[in-house]
Amino acid sequence: MEPKKPIRLDELDRQHALRQLPFTTPDGYFDTLPTRIQAEATRRTNHRFTISWSWQRSVSTLAGAGLVAALIWFTYPKKQDSLEPELLSNISSASVLDYLQDQDIYLEDYSDIIKTHDMPNDSTLIHELHVSPEAIQQMIEEDAAGTVTI
């Protein structure tokens, strides 16, 4: 395939189709163009947007605003306050368990949620009970022998 040869416009003769102007303008078009542009600009500045007052427009605006306010008033969710401890203390444990079973919620579902790191370890519990290790050892030995003294 042979490479394309660039064509220079000045190398073509004057009668060639590529050298002819594809568009023509009416005679004197560019002579009157500035005055026509100025006349159009003046006409557009004189024609301004105006709003006239009418009672129908005022009533329809107020009705629309009232409708929007009513929709917001009736559909806006109400804030739920927290339950008081006295109200919750009146509910029996059996009722709570029945509710949880009706909802297919069981204690096993929550067993992985319980935080064990908040629970104190055994040595902390022993320290808080103020029991000496010797007393604990004595209790273990008595329990193993079958006699417990309290």
Side-chain angles (χ1 to χ4, degrees):
M1 179 177 227
E2 168 179 333
K4 293 185 179 181
K5 179 183 172 190
I7 299 173
R8 295 183 45 106
L9 198 56
D10 56 352
E11 293 176 355
L12 298 174
D13 66 316
R14 294 221 177 254
Q15 304 306 323
H16 194 276
L18 290 177
R19 290 205 58 163
Q20 302 302 317
L21 293 175
F23 304 105
T24 60
T25 58
D27 291 335
Y29 176 79
F30 289 105
D31 296 335
T32 60
L33 183 63
T35 56
R36 286 185 288 135
I37 291 174
Q38 185 65 34
E40 180 66 21
T42 305
R43 185 186 70 79
R44 287 190 181 188
T45 57
N46 291 338
H47 179 64
R48 294 202 173 140
F49 181 74
T50 59
I51 297 176
S52 62
W53 177 83
S54 68
W55 68 271
Q56 294 97 346
R57 187 174 294 131
S58 299
V59 168
S60 63
T61 301
L62 288 175
L67 179 65
V68 169
L71 286 173
I72 290 172
W73 179 264
F74 288 115
T75 59
Y76 194 75
K78 293 182 176 35
K79 180 181 175 186
Q80 181 179 353
D81 294 329
S82 62
L83 298 175
E84 298 174 3
E86 295 83 29
L87 180 66
L88 291 177
S89 65
N90 295 335
I91 300 174
S92 67
S93 297
S95 298
V96 172
L97 289 174
D98 289 341
Y99 171 77
L100 292 175
Q101 287 176 352
D102 288 344
Q103 300 296 319
D104 290 329
I105 300 173
Y106 299 99
L107 184 61
E108 292 81 25
D109 297 336
Y110 293 106
S111 63
D112 58 339
I113 298 174
I114 298 172
K115 296 180 181 177
T116 57
H117 65 276
D118 290 341
M119 302 281 294
N121 58 22
D122 291 340
S123 62
T124 307
L125 289 175
I126 292 171
H127 180 69
E128 289 179 3
L129 291 175
H130 304 290
V131 177
S132 66
E134 294 82 21
I136 294 173
Q137 186 64 35
Q138 181 183 358
M139 291 293 286
I140 292 172
E141 290 171 0
E142 289 176 1
D143 188 36
T147 59
V148 177
T149 58
I150 297 179

